[in-house]
């Protein structure tokens, strides 16, 4: 049976996820305040730059009680210790004088990283940190990766047939999976900071890369165009979200199309194209904490070869295509022992009888 602390921490996690796609690059945080065994306050971080979860929960509680002395406050991430867009939550809580503060996990952000806990303990408040720590870190995997590894969290999304084909030999790939799977992808996009595609995918599919099917906010669109040769008529350069498109090109590219509403980022070039490390570093410098990579095969292969990805979603349609393109056709190994290893994380079948499988990269999750 779960303890009372775990019960209320799970409540924090359910509140925190309401901020998905809205608070980045900040973490998702939920807060619950309990007094005499009764929940008197709830709050979550609703939008980047707005009040933090603790502030919202305290405001909610003070509508029911006069003060918070003796209460237990639950929060899935260590209260901030610094003043940024908002004040220090840890210092605010010392004024509230709760009996206990129960924390899911420490905040690795350097200005916090244990300081919030020390502020609370130095004020005589009992602190219990590490309740549902694994779940709390997993919820904020984007934030944790961004801070600890100094790069965005990277997910590869592969839509394919049952025999592993992502496109016909002529490059046509619309649509291997159903609208149900495409809705799932649009919802995913709304939760990531950016979507990344290669030049060939941009040219052949001319995608919008938005979240219109889910009716949610659309991510930044990162398009690799090493030599600036993509045609300016592509939709990502001309639609209403053109100002949310960023072209990633080589540092040596001097000529090419000029897209009036589109920003360019120059990164280092390797022998066969742009360096994945340089692309991710440039994204990190832009404050992008998560990237959904949507193709094509060359880009998928480069991310796997570099091991600079965290997980892969396969969306497998119940159809056989035969000859065509595979997602990782540019990869080549000489021995089976050299195969890139994945760890099954979850899977389910959607209403269109398509199998959706998530694998973790063993390199980062072993």
């Amino acid at each position: 049976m779960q303890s009372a602390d775990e019960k209320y921490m799970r409540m924090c996690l359910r509140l925190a996820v309401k901020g998905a796609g809205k608070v980045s690059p900040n973490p998702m945080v939920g807060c619950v305040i309990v007094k005499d065994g009764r929940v008197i306050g709830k709050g979550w971080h609703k939008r980047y730059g707005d009040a933090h979860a603790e502030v919202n929960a305290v405001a909610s509680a003070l509508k029911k009680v006069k003060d918070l002395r003796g209460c237990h406050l639950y929060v899935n991430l260590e209260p901030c210790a610094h003043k940024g867009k908002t004040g220090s939550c840890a210092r605010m809580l010392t004024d509230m004088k709760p009996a206990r503060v129960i924390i899911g996990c420490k905040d690795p952000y350097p200005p916090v990283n244990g300081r919030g806990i020390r502020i609370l303990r130095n004020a005589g408040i009992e602190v219990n940190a590490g309740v549902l720590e694994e779940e709390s870190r997993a919820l904020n995997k984007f934030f944790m990766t961004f801070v600890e590894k100094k790069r965005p969290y990277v997910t590869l999304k592969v839509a394919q047939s049952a025999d592993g084909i992502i496109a016909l030999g002529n490059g046509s790939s619309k649509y291997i999976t159903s609208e149900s799977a495409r809705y799932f992808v649009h919802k995913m996009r709304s939760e990531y900071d950016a979507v990344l595609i290669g030049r060939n995918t941009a040219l052949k599919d001319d995608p919008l890369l938005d979240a219109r099917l889910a009716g949610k906010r659309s991510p930044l669109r990162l398009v690799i165009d090493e030599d600036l040769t993509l045609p300016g008529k592509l939709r990502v350069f001309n639609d209403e979200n053109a100002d949310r498109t960023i072209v990633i090109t080589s540092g040596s590219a001097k000529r090419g199309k000029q897209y009036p509403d589109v920003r360019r980022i120059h990164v280092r070039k390797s022998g066969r194209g742009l360096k994945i490390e340089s692309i991710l570093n440039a994204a990190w410098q832009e404050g992008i904490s998560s990237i959904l990579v949507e193709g094509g095969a060359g880009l998928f292969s480069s991310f796997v070869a570099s091991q600079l990805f965290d997980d892969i979603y396969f969306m497998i349609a119940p159809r056989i295509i035969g000859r065509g393109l595979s997602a990782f056709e540019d990869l080549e190994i000489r021995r089976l022992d050299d195969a890139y290893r994945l760890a099954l994380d979850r899977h389910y079948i959607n209403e269109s009888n398509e199998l959706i499988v998530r694998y973790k990269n063993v390199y980062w999750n072993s």
Side-chain angles (χ1 to χ4, degrees), residues 151-159 166 185 188-189 192-198 201 209 219-220 222 224 248 276 279-280 283 290-304 306 308-315 327-328:
R151 66 164 175 83
Y153 187 97
V154 175
T155 294
L156 311 184
K157 187 276 296 180
V158 180
I166 64 169
V185 171
M188 282 182 70
R189 288 175 182 171
Y192 282 71
D193 284 353
V195 173
L196 172 66
I197 60 171
T201 299
L209 304 176
L220 291 171
L222 309 180
I224 295 177
I248 300 176
I276 297 299
I279 292 172
L280 294 184
S290 56
I291 294 178
L292 182 63
V293 182
E294 295 203 34
L299 197 56
F300 288 145
S301 298
S302 294
F303 270 98
V304 172
S306 67
L308 288 171
F309 73 101
D310 297 280
D311 58 13
I312 302 179
Y313 275 87
F314 286 97
M315 301 182 186
F328 306 102

Side-chain angles (χ1 to χ4, degrees), residues 108-255:
Y109 184 52
V112 188
N113 198 21
R115 288 184 60 217
I117 292 173
R118 288 196 296 273
I119 288 172
L120 294 170
R121 284 177 173 160
N122 289 341
I125 298 169
E126 180 185 343
V127 177
N128 183 9
V131 175
L132 298 185
E133 181 174 14
E134 185 176 342
E135 292 92 330
S136 295
R137 283 185 57 86
L139 176 72
N140 278 307
K141 59 187 180 182
F142 296 168
F143 175 75
M144 298 296 175
T145 301
F146 185 78
V147 173
E148 295 173 347
K149 298 178 182 175
K150 292 183 169 52
R151 66 164 175 83
Y153 187 97
V154 175
T155 294
L156 311 184
K157 187 276 296 180
V158 180
Q160 65 177 49
S161 61
D163 55 340
I165 300 302
I166 64 169
L168 302 182
N170 61 12
S172 175
S173 62
K174 287 188 174 181
Y175 287 104
I176 288 176
T177 53
S178 70
E179 186 167 349
S180 175
R182 295 197 294 277
Y183 175 86
F184 181 88
V185 171
H186 281 226
K187 187 174 183 300
M188 282 182 70
R189 288 175 182 171
S190 72
E191 296 174 358
Y192 282 71
D193 284 353
V195 173
L196 172 66
I197 60 171
R199 182 185 183 281
N200 288 340
T201 299
L203 191 60
K204 292 175 181 177
D205 291 352
D206 193 14
L208 284 170
L209 304 176
D210 60 15
R212 63 190 182 280
L213 294 182
K216 297 180 180 291
R217 79 102 162 112
S218 294
L220 291 171
R221 302 175 299 191
L222 309 180
V223 181
I224 295 177
D225 186 10
E226 184 178 331
D227 299 313
L228 296 176
T229 57
L230 281 173
K233 65 182 181 181
L234 294 181
R235 294 190 294 176
V236 290
F237 300 145
N238 295 284
D239 69 356
E240 61 183 9
N241 293 315
D243 62 344
R244 293 182 60 75
T245 298
I246 299 175
V247 171
I248 300 176
T249 186
S250 70
S252 60
K254 295 183 172 61
R255 297 182 179 181

Side-chain angles (χ1 to χ4, degrees), residues 31-49:
C31 182
V32 173
I33 302 175
V34 178
K35 191 169 188 177
D36 299 326
R38 181 172 65 95
V39 174
I40 60 171
K42 298 179 183 179
W44 67 94
H45 186 27
K46 297 181 179 180
R47 190 173 289 103
Y48 176 71

